[in-house]
Amino acid sequence: MANPLSHLASFTSNQISGSDHSLIVCREDIAKSYNQLSVMEDSTDIQNFCTNYGFYQDYAVNPQVQEMNKQQEEMNVYAVTPQVQTGSHVDKSHFSSLGPFELLRNNPSRCKNTEGDKIRNMNDRANAYQKLSAMQIMKLAGERFIQFSSNKFININNLLHPYGSALSNLSPDDNQDVELAQILLAAAEKVSDQQYDRARKMLSQCQPLASNTGNPAQRAVFYFAQALEERIDRETGRLMPKTHSVETDGSICIASRFDASHLAFHQEVPFTQVVHFTGIQAILESVATKPKVHLVDFLIRTGVQWASLIQAAAERKDNPSEHMKITVIESVNKERVEETGKSLESFAKSLNFPLSFKIVFLPDRNQLTEDHFDVKPDEGVVIYAAFFLRAMICEPNCLETAMRVVRRLQPELMVVSEVEANQNSPMFVNRFIDSLFYYSAFFDCLEDVMKRDDQHRMTLESVTYGRGIRNIVGSEGKERVCRSVNLDVWRSFLKRFGMEEVKLSETCLYQANLIIQQFACRNSCTADINGRSLIVSWKGTPIYITSAWKFH
């Protein structure tokens, strides 16, 4: 069974700046406790399986199949995408000679340090402890987990050993949260090793402290422990597989609260606005000289961003638009999209702007062809794919079909916005760690912008994040519909179809930062350029990306 330590180390190493003195002291305490508990065996080589994975086939329980898929991961092969080399790749031979603490210090960082990571001013020892974020809790828990488990030293009593808890610069509450997260990581490792009884015992230790109404770390542990319990139940036959999508819910009441909660979140945090308006700016620049524009939206949601595009096009003085056509591909709720179209047409009419709206309703997206779009020779075609590609990872044939259609349409520009996270590894423990750190940033974010008893926050955490976590952690095969890969994987995938990345303009970055400055959380949310694309982060943790593409 592959060792998760090197993958976990990629999240915990070199992420604490020199000014984060209390966390540095905590690291020293971890090292001291490691020496005090030196009755362990000599450390074994730590296998690096922090590979750059793309679209993988599912990781079966059968040990022989596990070994085959493990080899496949190391080769980074899948039918949909070629091998991807990211900047975080580390030479395996380098790992084999390192002890766990050296590995922590030397493995490259996955997250950027920001001012928001500072814990307290060490010049004033009289200051009270300042609460650690969930992300910082997970980092420290990861380091302690690596120290203990790399020498086969993992059980509940050791995790709670008084020397093992020697994080002297932490408050008692933070110390407790670090221990809680460490037990969660240990339970995930036992689930990965199919030691389900031991995993259940560890999860039972989490239950008294984890809470869906507590602090961000406690909430994160609550939902991830819940997901591990569900996975154990499925693997042991106590829970039957589900056939419905993670996005669906039969309750109209829950669905309406779900929409209201998303709206409340968008009013407090600019993630979605930055993504959408960066894309709009790129589209406007690409069709600036085109009198007729045909916009193809692969996965429309509210469509509210297109009102801004319509208004900007209507106000354009140079090369005014003669006509704009919006074609939307829909597979589930045709009536909802029809209402969106009526609203946009009504808005365009109020501006005296010529707009037509068309729906291509295809329950089976694999039946999509270029003939569905009725593109005219004098139209400038733009394709908008916001969070569409990730939705098709679990349906690779549909993804391939969509990209072949895109190639035949030869658009002026294709705008891609996606989740910036690796949540599709065939190795369960990799996927667990990636998701734990990614979602911890969201729990931290909600702590900053909403009260703990806010009903919108509770709905977001239980419906949006909770269900996503359970699907990523607890499901496999066709049931696991929540999948994401990072920008480097999409770069490789899109280049395979003959596309090249277009550099987003300075105006795009300016617009993104202008939007962020309008929010109270502006010091925590950042927009930066990654290569030629834009990446939106929360306190240094990448959240979403927007990129633009065209054919050679």
Side-chain angles (χ1 to χ4, degrees):
M1 179 60 62
N3 193 316
L5 302 186
S6 58
H7 191 73
L8 179 59
S10 67
F11 287 90
T12 61
S13 64
N14 299 328
Q15 296 178 16
I16 302 173
S17 64
S19 59
D20 292 337
H21 185 76
S22 54
L23 285 186
I24 294 173
V25 173
C26 291
R27 278 183 159 179
E28 295 172 352
D29 288 339
I30 292 172
K32 290 177 183 177
S33 66
Y34 177 78
N35 292 329
Q36 289 168 326
L37 296 169
S38 57
V39 296
M40 300 172 286
E41 303 173 7
D42 292 336
S43 63
T44 57
D45 290 345
I46 300 175
Q47 179 187 4
N48 171 32
F49 64 98
C50 183
T51 54
N52 307 301
Y53 34 80
F55 311 141
Y56 290 98
Q57 295 174 352
D58 294 296
Y59 194 47
V61 175
N62 185 296
Q64 293 180 343
V65 179
Q66 284 180 336
E67 183 62 26
M68 292 173 61
N69 281 333
K70 173 183 168 184
Q71 294 173 2
Q72 178 184 356
E73 177 177 9
E74 292 172 348
M75 295 171 63
N76 202 19
V77 174
Y78 184 71
V80 177
T81 184
Q83 182 175 2
V84 179
Q85 298 294 334
T86 67
S88 61
H89 180 72
V90 181
D91 185 11
K92 290 184 181 181
S93 62
H94 181 60
F95 274 91
S96 62
S97 62
L98 292 178
F101 201 64
E102 286 75 21
L103 182 145
L104 282 176
R105 289 200 297 266
N106 291 293
N107 194 35
S109 170
R110 286 284 296 270
C111 298
K112 180 181 62 178
N113 289 303
T114 68
E115 291 296 315
D117 285 332
K118 293 183 179 179
I119 307 306
R120 60 191 174 99
N121 183 0
M122 296 304 296
N123 293 327
D124 188 357
R125 292 279 181 168
N127 286 348
Y129 291 109
Q130 184 171 337
K131 182 67 181 174
L132 294 182
S133 68
M135 179 64 78
Q136 292 164 332
I137 292 290
M138 300 308 169
K139 290 176 186 177
L140 286 177
E143 292 191 7
R144 296 184 70 219
F145 176 80
I146 290 171
Q147 287 296 309
F148 296 151
S149 64
S150 62
N151 285 278
K152 302 178 182 179
F153 185 71
I154 192 72
N155 63 58
I156 293 175
N157 291 330
N158 289 334
L159 290 174
L160 301 180
H161 193 284
Y163 289 119
S165 302
L167 300 177
S168 59
N169 266 50
L170 296 187
S171 70
D173 288 345
D174 283 339
N175 224 327
Q176 180 175 275
D177 288 344
V178 171
E179 290 181 350
L180 176 64
Q182 189 181 354
I183 295 173
L184 178 73
L185 290 170
E189 183 187 44
K190 296 309 173 189
V191 171
S192 178
D193 292 340
Q194 302 176 38
Q195 299 179 26
Y196 300 126
D197 289 340
R198 296 185 67 184
R200 283 190 189 278
K201 290 178 181 179
M202 290 182 172
L203 291 174
S204 70
Q205 296 293 315
C206 294
Q207 290 174 354
L209 299 176
S211 170
N212 62 344
T213 59
N215 64 44
Q218 293 164 357
R219 291 177 184 229
V221 172
F222 175 86
Y223 287 107
F224 275 90
Q226 190 179 68
L228 285 176
E229 288 275 10
E230 184 170 311
R231 184 179 183 88
I232 293 172
D233 287 343
R234 293 189 183 206
E235 296 291 351
T236 56
R238 297 186 183 184
L239 185 67
M240 295 301 294
K242 298 178 181 179
T243 57
H244 62 76
S245 166
V246 75
E247 302 293 337
T248 61
D249 194 290
S251 171
I252 297 176
C253 178
I254 291 293
S256 62
R257 289 175 58 207
F258 177 74
D259 291 338
S261 298
H262 265 83
L263 178 60
F265 181 72
H266 296 329
Q267 290 173 343
E268 298 292 340
V269 182
F271 293 156
T272 304
Q273 294 91 319
V274 170
V275 165
H276 285 320
F277 285 101
T278 300
I280 289 173
Q281 180 63 37
I283 289 171
L284 287 170
E285 293 172 4
S286 69
V287 295
T289 61
K290 300 290 182 180
K292 295 181 180 180
V293 177
H294 190 162
L295 172 67
V296 177
D297 192 336
F298 270 94
L299 189 64
I300 196 168
R301 295 178 188 267
T302 64
V304 65
Q305 72 272 21
W306 301 137
S308 299
L309 177 66
I310 291 167
Q311 184 172 3
E315 294 174 353
R316 192 169 70 187
K317 303 302 181 183
D318 298 333
N319 301 309
S321 297
E322 296 179 11
H323 186 262
M324 179 179 291
K325 182 194 300 181
I326 299 178
T327 300
V328 174
I329 307 168
E330 177 59 31
S331 302
V332 180
N333 195 334
K334 185 178 181 180
E335 291 75 17
R336 177 184 61 83
V337 178
E338 286 175 343
E339 290 300 317
T340 298
K342 291 176 182 177
S343 297
L344 290 174
E345 287 176 331
S346 176
F347 178 72
K349 186 176 181 180
S350 70
L351 299 176
N352 197 29
F353 182 78
L355 174 74
S356 60
F357 188 91
K358 176 185 176 181
I359 302 173
V360 176
F361 186 70
L362 285 175
D364 182 4
R365 286 181 178 264
N366 205 34
Q367 302 300 315
L368 184 68
T369 69
E370 62 272 24
D371 295 333
H372 284 107
F373 299 99
D374 189 26
V375 175
K376 306 300 182 184
D378 58 347
E379 291 177 341
V381 178
V382 178
I383 293 177
Y384 189 75
F387 310 106
F388 166 75
L389 298 181
R390 71 185 290 263
M392 294 293 103
I393 292 176
C394 59
E395 299 182 74
N397 290 336
C398 293
L399 182 58
E400 291 275 340
T401 296
M403 288 307 302
R404 285 195 295 268
V405 171
V406 169
R407 183 162 53 191
R408 292 180 184 127
L409 292 176
Q410 287 292 307
E412 302 288 331
L413 194 74
M414 179 177 179
V415 174
V416 174
S417 296
E418 283 298 340
V419 169
E420 178 57 11
N422 282 325
Q423 297 170 353
N424 194 41
S425 173
M427 307 291 286
F428 161 73
V429 75
N430 278 27
R431 198 165 71 241
F432 182 90
I433 292 169
D434 288 327
S435 302
L436 178 63
F437 279 85
Y438 182 78
Y439 278 101
S440 290
F442 274 97
F443 285 103
D444 282 334
C445 178
L446 287 178
E447 177 79 358
D448 286 359
V449 301
M450 292 182 178
K451 295 180 179 180
R452 291 188 179 179
D453 60 352
D454 188 296
Q455 287 303 307
H456 292 311
R457 176 178 179 178
M458 300 290 287
T459 301
L460 285 167
E461 290 177 340
S462 62
V463 176
T464 307
Y465 308 151
R467 288 183 179 176
I469 291 167
R470 290 201 306 274
N471 188 257
I472 294 168
V473 173
S475 301
E476 292 294 349
K478 293 182 178 180
E479 291 181 59
R480 184 159 63 85
V481 297
C482 235
R483 301 172 184 243
S484 298
V485 294
N486 65 17
L487 176 59
D488 284 331
V489 175
W490 291 124
R491 281 173 171 152
S492 180
F493 176 74
L494 293 169
K495 286 177 181 177
R496 173 187 156 188
F497 287 89
M499 303 194 83
E500 62 179 353
E501 193 173 359
V502 177
K503 183 178 181 180
L504 294 175
S505 68
E506 292 295 328
T507 304
C508 288
L509 181 61
Y510 173 79
Q511 293 276 14
N513 284 306
L514 194 64
I515 292 170
I516 291 173
Q517 291 305 310
Q518 297 174 11
F519 287 76
C521 61
R522 54 185 170 271
N523 292 330
S524 299
C525 183
T526 56
D528 301 290
I529 295 297
N530 179 312
R532 297 186 171 188
S533 301
L534 182 133
I535 187 165
V536 185
S537 304
W538 180 263
K539 295 183 179 180
T541 299
I543 302 296
Y544 296 138
I545 60 97
T546 294
S547 59
W549 298 81
K550 67 179 182 179
F551 287 95
H552 294 293

